[in-house]
Amino acid sequence: MNKTYSRVVVPKDLDTGTSTETSTWIAKNISREFYLPMVVSADADITKDDLVILGGVGGHEDPRIHQKLEAKGIDYINVEKGYCNWWKPKFWRLTFNENQVTEIKGQWDNKRFTAFNMPMRPMKKDGEQVYIVAPSQNGFDIYDLPIKVDDWIEQTVTEVKKYTDRPIKIRRKVPKKARGSRGFCDTLDNIYCVISLHTMAVTEVLREGIPVISMHPGVLKNYSSNKISQINNLYYPSDTERGKLFNCLTNIQFTNQELVDGEALETMCDYYGIKILPK
């Protein structure tokens, strides 16, 4: 499907660091002739003739900018940290008109996944603790959930206790320097399952062999449970299923150089079956 645009726009309110840089690489990749760094409000001055390059779900003053663009029928590309090795932001995923990949499709080899040197560990069924991993407040705002972090934790604990008397472990989001060498994957000993709506986090947990209850399923909708009421009947995906998942995810996340030279954009367009053209 051809997608034609008059302008490619990078909104003014991106973070001045990485978000602006990666979004600009993609914009220039499409066409230097009709790329335009906007100095006006994305909320008011962008139309259906524009393609917007967003710098992640948390890189904007308005955390609901994605929903507002969707409501107006305005196309966007989202540039966000990659699903694998996300605690070291050297890889980026591109999505078209969605914040995260919602379908695993295509045939991918495992060369890229293997190169990450993060093996897919066997699924475990012997853990004892339920691990509740809370997102930041920004995570709730992005998904338009009118709740505070503390209230979500309290409600989640109450819901878990309806179905199991397993001990509960809680993790709040902490500064990067306190997250360990592999995010919170360093703290998965004796874990029965992980509950969260932080998609990248539960994706890595699944690679570590821990079943997950993904409260915002997205890319994991076919690889996890998505209701706390399922906690005594968790979904344990096969190695073949997880291999398909991680082969796909690692092949649709990219290095800085791949953002610059166009390989990332070309792969994204093939993935979504689109071709981006100037009007």
Coordinates of all heavy atoms in Angstrom, one line a residue, residues 22 33 36 46 68 73 75 89 94 102 105 140 146 163 194 201 205 222 239 247 266 276:
T22 N 17.1 10.3 16.9 CA 16.6 9.1 16.2 C 15.4 9.5 15.3 O 15.3 9.0 14.2 CB 16.2 8.0 17.2 OG1 15.2 8.5 18.2 CG2 17.4 7.5 17.9
E33 N 13.9 16.3 1.1 CA 13.2 17.4 0.4 C 11.9 17.7 1.1 O 11.5 18.9 1.1 CB 12.9 17.0 -1.0 CG 14.2 16.8 -1.9 CD 13.9 16.4 -3.3 OE1 12.7 16.3 -3.6 OE2 14.8 16.2 -4.1
L36 N 10.4 18.2 7.6 CA 10.3 19.5 8.2 C 10.3 19.4 9.7 O 9.4 18.8 10.3 CB 9.0 20.1 7.8 CG 8.6 21.5 8.3 CD1 9.6 22.5 7.8 CD2 7.2 21.9 8.0
I46 N -0.9 20.0 12.7 CA -0.5 18.8 11.8 C -1.8 18.3 11.2 O -2.9 18.2 11.9 CB 0.2 17.7 12.7 CG1 1.6 18.3 13.0 CG2 0.4 16.5 11.9 CD1 2.4 17.3 13.9
K68 N -4.2 11.2 20.3 CA -4.7 12.3 19.6 C -4.5 12.3 18.1 O -5.4 12.6 17.3 CB -4.1 13.6 20.2 CG -4.6 13.9 21.6 CD -4.0 15.2 22.1 CE -4.5 15.5 23.6 NZ -3.9 16.7 24.1
G73 N -6.9 10.7 12.6 CA -6.5 9.9 11.4 C -5.2 10.3 10.8 O -5.0 10.2 9.6
D75 N -1.2 9.7 10.4 CA -0.3 8.6 10.4 C 1.0 9.1 11.2 O 1.4 10.2 11.1 CB 0.2 8.2 9.0 CG -0.9 7.4 8.3 OD1 -1.9 7.0 9.0 OD2 -0.8 7.3 7.1
P89 N 20.0 1.2 25.8 CA 19.4 1.7 24.6 C 20.3 1.9 23.4 O 20.6 3.0 23.0 CB 18.8 3.0 25.1 CG 19.7 3.4 26.2 CD 20.1 2.2 26.9
L94 N 10.8 0.5 15.4 CA 10.0 1.4 14.6 C 8.6 0.7 14.5 O 8.5 -0.4 14.1 CB 10.5 1.7 13.2 CG 11.9 2.2 13.1 CD1 12.2 2.6 11.7 CD2 12.2 3.4 14.0
T102 N 1.9 -5.2 17.6 CA 0.8 -6.0 18.1 C 0.6 -7.4 17.4 O -0.2 -8.2 17.8 CB -0.5 -5.2 18.0 OG1 -0.7 -4.8 16.6 CG2 -0.5 -4.0 18.9
K105 N 4.6 -11.6 12.9 CA 4.4 -12.2 11.6 C 5.7 -12.2 10.8 O 6.7 -11.6 11.2 CB 3.3 -11.3 10.9 CG 3.7 -9.8 10.7 CD 2.6 -9.0 10.2 CE 2.9 -7.5 10.1 NZ 1.8 -6.7 9.6
F140 N 0.9 4.5 32.8 CA -0.6 4.6 33.0 C -1.1 5.7 32.1 O -2.2 5.6 31.5 CB -1.0 4.8 34.4 CG -0.6 3.7 35.3 CD1 0.4 3.9 36.3 CD2 -1.2 2.5 35.2 CE1 0.8 2.9 37.2 CE2 -0.8 1.4 36.1 CZ 0.2 1.6 37.0
P146 N -6.7 6.0 34.3 CA -6.8 7.0 35.3 C -6.5 6.5 36.7 O -7.4 6.3 37.5 CB -8.2 7.5 35.2 CG -9.0 6.3 34.7 CD -8.0 5.5 33.8
Y163 N -7.1 -15.2 44.4 CA -6.9 -16.4 43.7 C -5.8 -17.3 44.3 O -5.7 -18.4 43.9 CB -6.7 -16.1 42.2 CG -7.8 -15.3 41.6 CD1 -7.7 -14.0 41.4 CD2 -9.0 -16.0 41.3 CE1 -8.7 -13.2 40.8 CE2 -10.0 -15.2 40.7 CZ -9.9 -13.9 40.5 OH -10.9 -13.1 39.9
V194 N 5.3 -13.2 36.7 CA 5.4 -11.8 36.8 C 4.2 -11.1 36.2 O 3.6 -11.5 35.2 CB 6.7 -11.3 36.0 CG1 6.7 -9.7 35.8 CG2 7.9 -11.7 36.7
A201 N 9.5 -5.2 29.6 CA 9.9 -5.9 30.8 C 9.4 -7.3 30.8 O 10.2 -8.3 31.0 CB 9.5 -5.2 32.1
V205 N 11.2 -11.1 30.6 CA 10.9 -12.1 31.6 C 10.5 -13.4 31.0 O 11.0 -14.5 31.4 CB 9.7 -11.6 32.5 CG1 9.2 -12.8 33.4 CG2 10.2 -10.5 33.5
N222 N -0.5 -13.5 22.4 CA -0.6 -15.0 22.2 C 0.5 -15.8 22.9 O 0.6 -17.0 22.7 CB -0.4 -15.2 20.7 CG -1.6 -14.6 19.9 OD1 -2.7 -14.7 20.3 ND2 -1.2 -14.0 18.7
D239 N 9.0 -23.6 23.3 CA 10.2 -23.0 22.8 C 10.0 -22.6 21.4 O 10.6 -21.6 21.0 CB 11.4 -24.0 23.0 CG 11.8 -24.3 24.4 OD1 11.3 -23.5 25.3 OD2 12.6 -25.2 24.6
N247 N 12.7 -14.2 17.5 CA 13.4 -14.0 16.2 C 12.7 -12.8 15.5 O 13.4 -12.0 14.8 CB 13.2 -15.2 15.3 CG 14.0 -16.4 15.8 OD1 14.9 -16.2 16.6 ND2 13.7 -17.6 15.2
E266 N 13.2 0.6 5.8 CA 12.9 -0.3 4.7 C 12.2 -1.6 5.4 O 11.2 -2.1 4.9 CB 14.1 -0.7 3.9 CG 13.8 -1.7 2.8 CD 15.0 -2.0 1.9 OE1 16.1 -1.4 2.2 OE2 14.9 -2.9 1.1
I276 N 6.3 4.5 1.6 CA 6.1 5.9 2.0 C 6.6 6.8 0.8 O 7.8 6.6 0.4 CB 6.8 6.2 3.3 CG1 6.1 5.5 4.4 CG2 6.8 7.7 3.6 CD1 6.8 5.6 5.8

